[in-house]
């Protein structure tokens, strides 16, 4: 049976849940999207009369004995429509997609990744005309890493949307309580007066930084390419670079010929196909393969973890403020939210609890990705690459769920002004002029300057993003 997120409430995988874009069906569809985009690129290349589609021998043991090409007059539009129809038949309906993902999960053990059985299923469904084009010149890592990039980018964009909501709510709170005095605490003890506005502005500053970092890293996530060992030989064969490069073409001691101008005019370098694949998927193409140079996943895992821990600070402050005896903040109410199975009188701060849960989990997941990157070896890592997959998926799931919960939390957060004032009086009964503590009035005026600076930063970011 599939994982539905039973143990990750708030980041569940039920249909319509924000985190559902990180489930196995979403990843399956991303793999199919990558494979179909490649077929469209190769078919267009062939239709232009610059080469023939052919299977490459990759480390998955692809069928190297297949026909080395299909009819040279394959119509690009018809080929694109065909592969799109095949993908729709395989995974267009949720039930079909789930059934296929389940089969791939089991079959993937034989080769160590789900792409190998996916390619077999896609070729079988594509039929004899398109089958030789499916996955030609690619390797499993090209497809799986590209699919993960697509999924992570979608998840990041979902989270950034909710971070924008959270930032707007934090800005409103900071403005509304700009100069409201409150008890500042350091090392769990009453310290000096500060303002609620300054505390909320601190939340806002963190959310703005995390959102900008996540958006920038997500938009820079590149296409994964390289072929069998990152040397692009399979793609070069498709683009006829090997045949037209001026390297020996005759057997024995015959003299080689230089590439003619006419040959160069008809040749399309391997990178042209790769660039077209990236354009088809809306992904930038880096200067070289990153099969074992794991910078893209290191950066996205760091950005996802930063988002979770930034929101964790918000949740921690709320959890402190809702405690009995403090009572300065209240989470937004909703039917059934915060209920206890044993104590009907309780209203648990469940949104903050779930955000804090993800803040605790995320750094360890990011550490797993970074550890795997540190153990990358040769031209494809033996186990380190594989260890990244579930960590990235879980990290994305936590980030999406946490951002969504934090947005709802901040949009409905309630402030009890009387409790805020009471706690300040009780915590600092003699607050006033002192060698190290200014008056409450002075502190409020000084803190308001900080609030205004952060609000100005927020307004400027909104103006630039408009």
């Amino acid at each position: 049976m599939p994982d539905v997120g039973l143990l990750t409430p708030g980041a569940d995988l039920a249909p319509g849940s924000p985190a559902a874009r990180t489930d196995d069906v979403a990843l399956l569809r991303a793999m199919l999207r990558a494979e179909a985009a490649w077929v469209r690129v190769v078919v267009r290349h062939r239709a232009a009369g610059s080469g023939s589609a052919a299977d490459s021998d990759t480390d998955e043991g692809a069928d190297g004995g297949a026909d080395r090409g299909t009819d040279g007059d394959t119509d690009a539009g018809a080929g694109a429509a065909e592969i799109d129809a095949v993908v729709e038949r395989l995974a267009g309906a949720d039930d079909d997609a789930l059934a296929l993902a389940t089969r791939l999960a089991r079959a993937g053990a034989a080769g160590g990744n789900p792409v190998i059985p996916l390619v077999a299923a896609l070729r079988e469904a594509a039929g004899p005309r398109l089958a030789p084009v499916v996955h030609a010149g690619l390797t499993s890592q090209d497809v799986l890493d590209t699919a993960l990039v697509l999924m992570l980018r979608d998840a990041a964009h979902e989270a950034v949307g909710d971070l924008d909501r959270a930032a707007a709510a934090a800005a409103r709170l900071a403005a509304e309580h700009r100069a409201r005095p409150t008890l500042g605490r350091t090392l769990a003890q009453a310290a000096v007066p500060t303002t609620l506005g300054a505390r909320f502005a601190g939340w806002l500053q963190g959310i703005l930084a995390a959102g900008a970092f996540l958006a920038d890293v997500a938009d820079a996530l590149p296409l994964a390419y390289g072929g069998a060992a990152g040397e692009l030989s399979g793609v070069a064969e498709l683009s006829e670079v090997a045949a037209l490069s001026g390297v020996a073409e005759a057997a024995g001691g015959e003299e080689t010929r230089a590439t003619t101008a006419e040959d160069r005019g008809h040749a399309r370098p391997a990178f042209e196909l790769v660039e077209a694949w990236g354009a088809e998927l809306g992904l930038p193409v880096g200067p070289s393969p990153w099969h074992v140079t794991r910078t893209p996943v290191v950066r996205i895992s760091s950005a996802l973890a930063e988002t979770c821990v930034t929101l964790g600070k918000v949740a921690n402050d709320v959890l402190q403020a809702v405690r009995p005896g403090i009572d300065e903040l209240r989470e937004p109410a909703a039917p059934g939210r915060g209920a206890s199975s044993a104590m009907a009188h309780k209203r648990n701060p469940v949104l903050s609890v779930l955000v804090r849960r993800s803040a605790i989990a995320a750094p360890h997941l990011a550490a797993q990705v970074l550890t795997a990157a540190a153990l990358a070896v040769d031209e494809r890592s033996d186990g380190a690459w594989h260890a990244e997959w579930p960590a990235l998926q879980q990290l994305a799931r936590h980030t999406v769920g946490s951002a969504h919960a934090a947005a709802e939390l901040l949009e409905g957060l309630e402030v009890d002004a009387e409790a805020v004032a009471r706690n300040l009086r009780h915590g600092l009964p003699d607050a006033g002029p002192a060698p190290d503590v200014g008056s409450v009035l002075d502190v409020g005026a000084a803190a308001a300057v900080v609030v205004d600076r952060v609000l100005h930063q927020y307004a400027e970011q909104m103006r630039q993003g408009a």
Side-chain angles (χ1 to χ4, degrees), residues 215-230:
D216 287 347
V217 172
D219 289 342
L221 282 171
L223 180 78
Y225 67 93

Side-chain angles (χ1 to χ4, degrees), residues 100 142 148 245 254 278 281 306 344 362 395 409 416:
L100 178 57
D142 298 334
L148 283 167
S245 62
E254 293 183 15
L281 294 169
E306 179 180 323
L395 189 51
L409 169 66
D416 188 328

Side-chain angles (χ1 to χ4, degrees), residues 118-379:
L118 174 68
V119 171
L122 192 53
R123 282 179 172 159
E124 181 181 2
R129 190 166 78 126
L130 280 183
V133 184
V134 171
H135 200 70
L138 303 181
T139 193
S140 292
Q141 189 166 9
D142 298 334
V143 175
L144 186 50
D145 277 355
T146 294
L148 283 167
V149 160
L150 292 171
M151 184 198 74
L152 291 167
R153 186 180 64 177
D154 286 349
H157 288 167
E158 177 76 24
V160 167
D162 281 327
L163 289 174
D164 288 344
R165 291 174 51 205
R172 174 183 53 79
L173 287 167
E176 288 178 357
H177 302 279
R178 174 176 174 273
R180 184 180 299 282
T182 190
L183 177 62
R185 301 175 180 88
T186 62
L187 302 180
Q189 301 298 307
V192 297
T194 183
T195 67
L196 274 184
R199 186 173 298 157
F200 296 151
W203 296 356
L204 174 59
Q205 184 176 8
I207 292 168
L208 291 176
F213 182 36
L214 182 57
D216 287 347
V217 172
D219 289 342
L221 282 171
L223 180 78
Y225 67 93
E231 79 313 346
L232 278 175
S233 60
V235 180
E237 183 178 354
L238 286 176
S239 61
E240 297 186 332
V241 168
L244 298 172
S245 62
V247 182
E249 76 172 321
E254 293 183 15
E255 206 174 293
T256 64
R257 69 172 174 86
T259 306
T260 67
E262 182 180 359
D263 288 335
R264 285 194 297 270
H266 286 292
R268 290 190 180 183
F271 260 93
E272 190 168 323
L273 286 179
V274 173
E275 292 279 2
W277 191 28
E280 192 80 13
L281 294 169
L283 294 174
V285 177
S288 67
W290 50 276
H291 287 170
V292 285
T293 305
R294 308 303 289 168
T295 306
V297 292
V298 166
R299 288 182 176 172
I300 190 63
S301 63
S302 299
L304 293 168
E306 179 180 323
T307 296
C308 289
V309 300
T310 296
L311 297 176
K313 170 60 168 72
V314 176
N316 292 338
D317 284 350
V318 174
L319 288 168
Q320 291 295 320
V322 300
R323 287 175 177 269
I326 298 180
D327 301 310
E328 293 178 354
L329 300 176
R330 283 188 296 273
E331 284 200 353
R337 177 181 293 155
S340 167
S341 64
M343 294 165 281
H345 63 282
K346 291 188 70 180
R347 178 178 159 186
N348 294 318
V350 67
L351 291 173
S352 299
V353 167
L354 296 179
V355 171
R356 187 168 190 260
R357 175 270 322 266
S358 293
I360 293 169
H364 302 279
L365 294 166
Q368 182 170 326
V369 177
L370 269 63
T371 300
L375 294 174
V377 65
D378 298 328
E379 280 64 56

Side-chain angles (χ1 to χ4, degrees), residues 178-186 189-199 328 420-421 423-448:
R178 174 176 174 273
R180 184 180 299 282
T182 190
L183 177 62
R185 301 175 180 88
T186 62
Q189 301 298 307
V192 297
T194 183
T195 67
L196 274 184
R199 186 173 298 157
E328 293 178 354
V420 172
N423 291 334
L424 177 59
R425 290 195 303 271
H426 291 173
L428 295 173
D430 57 350
D436 58 345
V437 180
S439 70
V440 170
L441 184 61
D442 291 340
V443 169

